[in-house]
Amino acid sequence: IIHLMCILLGKPDMSKFPYHAHVDHGKSTLADRLLELTGTIDKTKNNKQVLDKLQVERERGITVKAQTASLFYNFEGKQYLLNLIDTPGHVDFSYEVSRSLSACQGVLLVIDANEGIQAQTVANFFLAFEAQLSVIPVINKIDLKNADPEMVEKQIEKVFDIPRNECIKISAKLGTNVESVLQAVIERIPPPKVHRKNPLRALVFDSIFDQYRGVIANVALFDGMVSKGDKIVSAHTQKTYEVNEVGVLNPNEQPTLKLYAGQVGYLIAGMKDVTEAQIGDTLYLHNHPVEPLPGFKSAKPMVFAGMYPTDQSEYNNLKSAIEKLTLNDSSVTVHRDSSLALGAGWRLGFLGLLHMEVFNQRLEQEYNTSVILTTPTVPYKAILSSAKLIKARRAVQKHLMFIDQNRVMLKYLFPLNEIVVDFYDSLKSLSSGYASFDYEDAGYQTAELVKMDILLNGNIVEELVTVVHKEKAYSVGKTICERLKDSLPRQLFEIAIQAAIGSKIIARETVKAYKKNVLAKCYGGDITRKMKLLKRQAEGKKKLRKIGNIEVPKDAFIKVLKTQSNK
């Protein structure tokens, strides 16, 4: 009934709904069922990944962007307003999880009944634990043939010290026992501790840019209330804005009369410049200044890559696209850069290789841009001295713990360069998908590193210059040359692909030229005429090799770095 009233009235009075806990979890199928149970969306067979709105999420089948939805739920004669945030599960998007927790009082920790506890489960649990949030363990996929929920209950009790009787066993796909999840949210998670009578204090925890309406900010209200026409101030920029619209996400935008403390919604206030909306900013009423909220700890990039427009005339368009996309993905760091070969561009920092690939894909799909992406690298500290550096090990085991008879948790100290490109893919392949992986920054260590250049016909390809460990230089160089050979289209001239450390060539591959049979029309005759034709062809190819432009496909820069699974 509540859902129908919201649609008919258009702008519901939010003060009539008792506010309750905001729930954060990482399983889109469960989100679909919760939206159906509360009447937020109609129950149809087409409800798959309803909150995964991005094209890249649909194509890859993963969540890369946290999405919010408000649910109206009737329990024991009372109506409750719950706010659901569906977050990513992959380690490369952990900043989305940590940021979402600021708007929550509790989390649903979704665990596969077949797979059990994974590395991401442990990492996300401790994020919630450190934020002092209530944790409700939900064991999903109990309908699978090999599901073992009792085994998972033992793991939860051992690793997280949560009693077995607090676990909720469900099948999100079939909808089995999902109603008990909503009941547990109301019974176990406390409502937000807020003060409606105090002046407005709202936290901007996410935002997107709309070319017609400007910045749409997702806000969590900790004090006071806000309505259309209010004048608000940004604590970060000290600029004043007039609120044009407020509302909740249901899961699409649903305008309301007001938003009150304890609620989560969206706010549009005429911010036309992307630099005006900062994630973690505090908004307050004009002439009623308040103490700003703590905001968020900055994300620490793990992978860096250069990004340049394919044509320098597109520089300003790409600059605008990057600014708008980083507004929606604030974990990306951006610094201006320039290259003699590629022109003006940027040096971008990402949380991982998948994060970089998704960001590039979103630029193409959402902003219709085409870019050149250079070799992904990790940060190094170089000490310029003649003293011999201490040789670093490639991995050191730090901890080993058996979760149960079939599962073990290992902690290793790894050089970031060893894991950032294809370690995750290789781990999944070798373990048939059963192993999981999570990582965090452990500081710098000294190592024997060399700069490796990739050359095409003697010319350095700046996009593929990389830093590698001295012991692995030959194998990495050989692999890059082999993969580049497979990625480059054949030309009318021969292409020499070389890996070099300084002036020393350590690996080489050759892309053979297309060969035209210049003797096809020579039927017999003097051998000197044939030799003359062949010599002329050789001279022409030599000239082409000097002046010919070798076009490297833009996806080649990622492909050549993904080493073969047997390495």
Side-chain angles (χ1 to χ4, degrees), residues 84-95:
L84 175 77
I85 306 180
D86 182 19
T87 61
H90 196 282
V91 61
D92 279 17
F93 307 101
S94 58
Y95 191 63

PDB file of all heavy atoms in Angstrom, residues 84-95:
ATOM      1  N   LEU A  84      18.776   0.568   1.797  1.00  0.00           N
ATOM      2  CA  LEU A  84      19.625  -0.545   1.360  1.00  0.00           C
ATOM      3  C   LEU A  84      20.727  -0.017   0.443  1.00  0.00           C
ATOM      4  O   LEU A  84      20.456   0.769  -0.462  1.00  0.00           O
ATOM      5  CB  LEU A  84      18.760  -1.548   0.597  1.00  0.00           C
ATOM      6  CG  LEU A  84      19.457  -2.733  -0.059  1.00  0.00           C
ATOM      7  CD1 LEU A  84      19.825  -3.768   0.966  1.00  0.00           C
ATOM      8  CD2 LEU A  84      18.539  -3.346  -1.109  1.00  0.00           C
ATOM      9  N   ILE A  85      21.971  -0.409   0.686  1.00  0.00           N
ATOM     10  CA  ILE A  85      23.071  -0.055  -0.208  1.00  0.00           C
ATOM     11  C   ILE A  85      23.715  -1.347  -0.695  1.00  0.00           C
ATOM     12  O   ILE A  85      24.258  -2.107   0.097  1.00  0.00           O
ATOM     13  CB  ILE A  85      24.128   0.827   0.482  1.00  0.00           C
ATOM     14  CG1 ILE A  85      23.482   2.067   1.101  1.00  0.00           C
ATOM     15  CG2 ILE A  85      25.202   1.244  -0.514  1.00  0.00           C
ATOM     16  CD1 ILE A  85      24.458   2.991   1.801  1.00  0.00           C
ATOM     17  N   ASP A  86      23.619  -1.591  -1.994  1.00  0.00           N
ATOM     18  CA  ASP A  86      24.211  -2.782  -2.602  1.00  0.00           C
ATOM     19  C   ASP A  86      25.638  -2.427  -3.020  1.00  0.00           C
ATOM     20  O   ASP A  86      25.852  -1.554  -3.857  1.00  0.00           O
ATOM     21  CB  ASP A  86      23.383  -3.206  -3.817  1.00  0.00           C
ATOM     22  CG  ASP A  86      23.924  -4.481  -4.461  1.00  0.00           C
ATOM     23  OD1 ASP A  86      24.684  -5.200  -3.783  1.00  0.00           O
ATOM     24  OD2 ASP A  86      23.597  -4.744  -5.635  1.00  0.00           O
ATOM     25  N   THR A  87      26.612  -3.101  -2.427  1.00  0.00           N
ATOM     26  CA  THR A  87      28.014  -2.736  -2.658  1.00  0.00           C
ATOM     27  C   THR A  87      28.762  -3.813  -3.435  1.00  0.00           C
ATOM     28  O   THR A  87      28.356  -4.971  -3.458  1.00  0.00           O
ATOM     29  CB  THR A  87      28.750  -2.511  -1.321  1.00  0.00           C
ATOM     30  OG1 THR A  87      28.715  -3.726  -0.569  1.00  0.00           O
ATOM     31  CG2 THR A  87      28.102  -1.402  -0.532  1.00  0.00           C
ATOM     32  N   PRO A  88      29.892  -3.460  -4.075  1.00  0.00           N
ATOM     33  CA  PRO A  88      30.694  -4.445  -4.811  1.00  0.00           C
ATOM     34  C   PRO A  88      31.368  -5.436  -3.871  1.00  0.00           C
ATOM     35  O   PRO A  88      31.565  -5.156  -2.687  1.00  0.00           O
ATOM     36  CB  PRO A  88      31.751  -3.588  -5.531  1.00  0.00           C
ATOM     37  CG  PRO A  88      31.241  -2.188  -5.474  1.00  0.00           C
ATOM     38  CD  PRO A  88      30.414  -2.098  -4.234  1.00  0.00           C
ATOM     39  N   GLY A  89      31.738  -6.595  -4.427  1.00  0.00           N
ATOM     40  CA  GLY A  89      32.440  -7.602  -3.638  1.00  0.00           C
ATOM     41  C   GLY A  89      33.911  -7.712  -3.975  1.00  0.00           C
ATOM     42  O   GLY A  89      34.700  -8.214  -3.189  1.00  0.00           O
ATOM     43  N   HIS A  90      34.317  -7.238  -5.168  1.00  0.00           N
ATOM     44  CA  HIS A  90      35.707  -7.379  -5.598  1.00  0.00           C
ATOM     45  C   HIS A  90      36.607  -6.415  -4.843  1.00  0.00           C
ATOM     46  O   HIS A  90      36.232  -5.280  -4.552  1.00  0.00           O
ATOM     47  CB  HIS A  90      35.818  -7.127  -7.111  1.00  0.00           C
ATOM     48  CG  HIS A  90      37.103  -7.609  -7.705  1.00  0.00           C
ATOM     49  ND1 HIS A  90      38.279  -6.907  -7.580  1.00  0.00           N
ATOM     50  CD2 HIS A  90      37.405  -8.721  -8.417  1.00  0.00           C
ATOM     51  CE1 HIS A  90      39.253  -7.568  -8.201  1.00  0.00           C
ATOM     52  NE2 HIS A  90      38.734  -8.672  -8.715  1.00  0.00           N
ATOM     53  N   VAL A  91      37.832  -6.870  -4.541  1.00  0.00           N
ATOM     54  CA  VAL A  91      38.790  -6.089  -3.764  1.00  0.00           C
ATOM     55  C   VAL A  91      39.102  -4.746  -4.412  1.00  0.00           C
ATOM     56  O   VAL A  91      39.365  -3.760  -3.725  1.00  0.00           O
ATOM     57  CB  VAL A  91      40.081  -6.913  -3.534  1.00  0.00           C
ATOM     58  CG1 VAL A  91      40.751  -7.276  -4.852  1.00  0.00           C
ATOM     59  CG2 VAL A  91      41.070  -6.149  -2.662  1.00  0.00           C
ATOM     60  N   ASP A  92      39.042  -4.661  -5.742  1.00  0.00           N
ATOM     61  CA  ASP A  92      39.373  -3.413  -6.438  1.00  0.00           C
ATOM     62  C   ASP A  92      38.368  -2.296  -6.166  1.00  0.00           C
ATOM     63  O   ASP A  92      38.644  -1.131  -6.456  1.00  0.00           O
ATOM     64  CB  ASP A  92      39.455  -3.652  -7.957  1.00  0.00           C
ATOM     65  CG  ASP A  92      40.786  -4.234  -8.374  1.00  0.00           C
ATOM     66  OD1 ASP A  92      41.504  -4.756  -7.496  1.00  0.00           O
ATOM     67  OD2 ASP A  92      41.115  -4.180  -9.570  1.00  0.00           O
ATOM     68  N   PHE A  93      37.198  -2.649  -5.621  1.00  0.00           N
ATOM     69  CA  PHE A  93      36.165  -1.644  -5.376  1.00  0.00           C
ATOM     70  C   PHE A  93      35.829  -1.544  -3.883  1.00  0.00           C
ATOM     71  O   PHE A  93      34.724  -1.168  -3.508  1.00  0.00           O
ATOM     72  CB  PHE A  93      34.906  -1.961  -6.193  1.00  0.00           C
ATOM     73  CG  PHE A  93      35.196  -2.146  -7.661  1.00  0.00           C
ATOM     74  CD1 PHE A  93      35.277  -3.415  -8.211  1.00  0.00           C
ATOM     75  CD2 PHE A  93      35.423  -1.052  -8.472  1.00  0.00           C
ATOM     76  CE1 PHE A  93      35.570  -3.594  -9.556  1.00  0.00           C
ATOM     77  CE2 PHE A  93      35.727  -1.214  -9.812  1.00  0.00           C
ATOM     78  CZ  PHE A  93      35.798  -2.483 -10.361  1.00  0.00           C
ATOM     79  N   SER A  94      36.804  -1.871  -3.036  1.00  0.00           N
ATOM     80  CA  SER A  94      36.579  -1.863  -1.590  1.00  0.00           C
ATOM     81  C   SER A  94      36.304  -0.463  -1.055  1.00  0.00           C
ATOM     82  O   SER A  94      35.681  -0.296  -0.004  1.00  0.00           O
ATOM     83  CB  SER A  94      37.790  -2.464  -0.866  1.00  0.00           C
ATOM     84  OG  SER A  94      38.975  -1.740  -1.192  1.00  0.00           O
ATOM     85  N   TYR A  95      36.761   0.575  -1.781  1.00  0.00           N
ATOM     86  CA  TYR A  95      36.500   1.950  -1.332  1.00  0.00           C
ATOM     87  C   TYR A  95      35.013   2.266  -1.372  1.00  0.00           C
ATOM     88  O   TYR A  95      34.511   3.038  -0.557  1.00  0.00           O
ATOM     89  CB  TYR A  95      37.279   2.939  -2.209  1.00  0.00           C
ATOM     90  CG  TYR A  95      37.292   4.348  -1.677  1.00  0.00           C
ATOM     91  CD1 TYR A  95      37.898   4.643  -0.454  1.00  0.00           C
ATOM     92  CD2 TYR A  95      36.704   5.404  -2.374  1.00  0.00           C
ATOM     93  CE1 TYR A  95      37.919   5.939   0.050  1.00  0.00           C
ATOM     94  CE2 TYR A  95      36.718   6.699  -1.882  1.00  0.00           C
ATOM     95  CZ  TYR A  95      37.330   6.963  -0.672  1.00  0.00           C
ATOM     96  OH  TYR A  95      37.347   8.244  -0.175  1.00  0.00           O
TER      97      TYR A  95
END
